[in-house]
Amino acid sequence: MTSTPQKQATASLGKERNGMARSRKIIYWASTLMLASGLVGSGIQQLLRTEGEGALAPPYAWGIVELGYPVYILTMLGIWKILGAVAIVIPRYPLLKEWAYAGLIFLLTGGMFSHIASGDPWYQLLPALFLLVFTAASWHFRPTDRRLLTHRPDPGFA
């Protein structure tokens, strides 16, 4: 039995879409797990107020004081990071995920701005910048069931 060129093209397009969907899923989970592990790891260190020996950015309690913040803010930041990691990994709750992604953007850009305003060297921005890139990738590639809007609005609706 021979197939028509149209059927072959349709089958090829279906395989391409499946491959793209698979790639999106891999990128989503890789970026989300890297982000979540970075958030949980640094959040726990902030809650425990451990000092980061050989850390790229100023280590926790000492570094937060150098940036001009009180040490107790580490508790709040650590809790936010852990809760944000949980929110983006658990299934369902798309509104919670949107808020978590927004909070992570504020947290990471605020940390980067603090380093810039304090006159820290550029390389101290790298940890927050990497987490920011993972946040953007995770948000962009998230599956439809993890999005707030799962349908396209009617173009005639204004």
Side-chain angles (χ1 to χ4, degrees):
M1 178 182 254
T2 60
S3 60
T4 65
Q6 184 180 9
K7 286 183 182 178
Q8 289 174 343
T10 303
S12 175
L13 183 61
K15 288 180 184 177
E16 184 178 321
R17 282 188 183 151
N18 285 341
M20 287 187 341
R22 180 172 159 77
S23 295
R24 288 182 64 86
K25 189 180 252 187
I26 290 170
I27 293 169
Y28 167 74
W29 279 111
S31 60
T32 301
L33 293 176
M34 292 293 290
L35 173 61
S37 65
L39 292 171
V40 169
S42 62
I44 288 171
Q45 287 178 330
Q46 287 173 330
L47 285 173
L48 298 176
R49 297 185 183 169
T50 59
E51 295 298 335
E53 295 295 324
L56 191 57
Y60 304 103
W62 175 82
I64 208 77
V65 171
E66 288 294 308
L67 291 173
Y69 297 106
V71 175
Y72 66 80
I73 203 166
L74 289 172
T75 303
M76 185 173 56
L77 294 174
I79 290 170
W80 285 349
K81 285 181 177 184
I82 292 169
L83 291 176
V86 170
I88 63 171
V89 171
I90 62 171
R92 296 187 303 261
Y93 309 108
L95 182 60
L96 178 65
K97 290 179 191 322
E98 289 294 321
W99 279 89
Y101 282 119
L104 292 173
I105 296 292
F106 297 144
L107 175 82
L108 297 168
T109 56
M112 291 172 65
F113 180 78
S114 293
H115 284 287
I116 291 168
S118 296
D120 290 339
W122 66 270
Y123 59 83
Q124 290 187 1
L125 301 174
L126 292 179
L129 182 61
F130 288 142
L131 290 178
L132 191 60
V133 168
F134 289 137
T135 301
S138 175
W139 180 84
H140 179 72
F141 289 104
R142 70 198 188 284
T144 306
D145 64 334
R146 291 176 174 256
R147 292 175 183 251
L148 192 54
L149 291 176
T150 57
H151 67 282
R152 302 241 184 236
D154 181 18
F157 183 74

